[in-house]
Amino acid sequence: MFELLTSTLLLLLIGVFLYYLLAKVIPKAALTVIGVGFILAVIAIAFISPTYAPVAVLWKVMSIPLTPLGLALLLILSSVLKINKKGEIKQPAPALLWTALIILVLSSNPLISYQIARAIELETIQVEQQKREACVQDCPEPLTPEPFQVGPAIVLLGQGSTEPNIGYRTQIQLTAQGSRILYTAQLFRQQRELGSFPIVIVSASPRRNIVGTAEQMDEARDIGVLLQRLGVPESAIYPETTGLNLRTNALEVQRILSTQLGEDRPTILLVTSALQIRRAAQTFREVGMRVIPRPTDFQTFEGEEGAGRRITLADLIPSIQALEITTNVIEEYLATIYYFLRGWLSPIVF
């Protein structure tokens, strides 16, 4: 109790000192220069080293306006600050509030979110089909129909596909991305039927959003347990736990494959979400792998083969799920731009 009280008082003292320093001592012009310099420094370090923990946290805060919800909240906050002590709303507060409302309504509309997710998923499939038809580079040899393609390795990008087995939970729970694990096991069985015995690399870094034992934080281990229950032998499963993003995942997977298979340019079946598969495939190709994309976690589907999505009145009513889909699509576009600027994406050559 004494330590907690001492820490609290010390933090308050530091806060008062910083307030006095910023408000009374340093000129406002200098503060502006310092603030701009700090923001530019954070952006530069985040660009060069995105996995550096302190900067990664600061970038998450600074990038809030890049999401629909974050931008809307920022506009609402700006509007609130325009209200004086008499309760009068100054310009341009009304325009900012209307803008925030429009952003929230559009980004949380199921019909709109479905269409933008459909666009990116369909584009990914079409690009891969065109690439395979042209078969100029990165084509597995021999050229075989898609259901019969084989590879010496299946790579599962499994980060966030499970919940930890803690407390009252009696088993490892799947998240919305859990179908990746089921699909990986299905692919392994298909490869066995085709006469191949691939290794399965499970790429998932330790959970950082919980405090617990090493086993509870080890998501790759939990995914491996589930794969074994689904028929994948333990001897075929290789965890990759050090990658913090697609780039470092690809580098670590390449290292494992070089050690286990001894191939300079191995062929892999890559399993991840349909929204992410294009960036993931190009990232893994850029480090020297032949990639057979195997997307899952589709947000949408096509109706050309009988099944189609029926539009209902509920598609016009804003929902949290639609806002999440819109946010995921925007974040994927931003991540793709970042990877392109860093040179982490292989060129698409037909």
Side-chain angles (χ1 to χ4, degrees), residues 159-160 162-164 166 206-212 216-217 219:
Q159 191 73 51
T162 63
E163 294 285 354
I166 57 178
R207 301 181 178 96
R208 289 175 169 77
N209 59 341
I210 66 167
V211 177
Q216 291 171 338
M217 298 180 67
E219 184 166 21

Side-chain angles (χ1 to χ4, degrees), residues 120-121 123-125 128 155 157 180 246 269-285 291-296 298 332 345:
I120 191 172
E121 292 178 348
E123 181 184 17
T124 297
I125 295 172
E128 291 299 330
V155 177
L157 300 180
R180 300 181 192 182
L246 281 180
L269 281 74
L270 182 61
V271 180
T272 187
S273 68
L275 285 179
Q276 189 187 56
I277 190 66
R278 182 175 179 181
R279 178 166 60 97
Q282 288 180 254
T283 301
F284 277 74
R285 284 170 179 151
V291 179
I292 303 174
R294 286 292 181 263
T296 184
F298 282 86
E332 182 58 30
L345 300 179

Side-chain angles (χ1 to χ4, degrees), residues 209-272:
N209 59 341
I210 66 167
V211 177
T213 64
E215 287 188 355
Q216 291 171 338
M217 298 180 67
D218 191 349
E219 184 166 21
R221 172 188 172 277
D222 289 345
I223 295 174
V225 169
L226 292 176
L227 288 173
Q228 291 176 54
R229 293 175 183 173
L230 294 169
V232 181
E234 183 179 4
S235 59
I237 301 174
Y238 291 81
E240 185 282 295
T241 60
T242 58
L244 298 176
N245 53 31
L246 281 180
R247 171 70 175 183
T248 52
N249 289 151
L251 292 172
E252 287 300 314
V253 168
Q254 175 76 322
R255 181 187 61 78
I256 294 173
L257 291 175
S258 298
T259 303
Q260 298 300 323
L261 304 179
E263 297 185 21
D264 294 332
R265 202 176 181 205
T267 299
I268 65 169
L269 281 74
L270 182 61
V271 180
T272 187

Side-chain angles (χ1 to χ4, degrees), residues 48 86 93 174 180 191 195 256 277 324:
I48 297 171
K86 297 180 180 180
L174 300 180
R180 300 181 192 182
Q191 292 290 297
I256 294 173
I277 190 66
E324 182 179 8

Side-chain angles (χ1 to χ4, degrees), residues 6-119:
T6 303
S7 300
T8 303
L9 292 175
L10 181 60
L11 288 174
L12 288 174
L13 180 62
I14 294 174
V16 171
F17 173 75
L18 289 176
Y19 172 78
Y20 178 80
L21 186 66
L22 296 175
K24 303 295 183 180
V25 178
I26 302 177
K28 291 185 178 180
L31 284 177
T32 301
V33 174
I34 293 173
V36 172
F38 176 77
I39 293 173
L40 292 177
V42 170
I43 293 174
I45 298 175
F47 183 82
I48 297 171
S49 182
T51 58
Y52 181 54
V55 174
V57 173
L58 287 174
W59 174 248
K60 277 189 173 294
V61 176
M62 291 172 55
S63 62
I64 287 176
L66 299 179
T67 63
L69 179 60
L71 180 56
L73 291 176
L74 184 63
L75 292 173
I76 293 172
L77 177 61
S78 300
S79 302
V80 171
L81 295 177
K82 294 293 181 180
I83 302 176
N84 59 26
K85 296 181 179 180
K86 297 180 180 180
E88 299 172 344
I89 301 177
K90 298 181 180 180
Q91 295 293 340
L96 295 177
L97 288 174
W98 275 108
T99 303
L101 178 62
I102 292 172
I103 290 173
L104 287 176
V105 169
L106 293 180
S107 60
S108 62
N109 182 279
L111 188 58
I112 294 177
S113 67
Y114 178 87
Q115 292 301 325
I116 61 175
R118 177 179 178 273

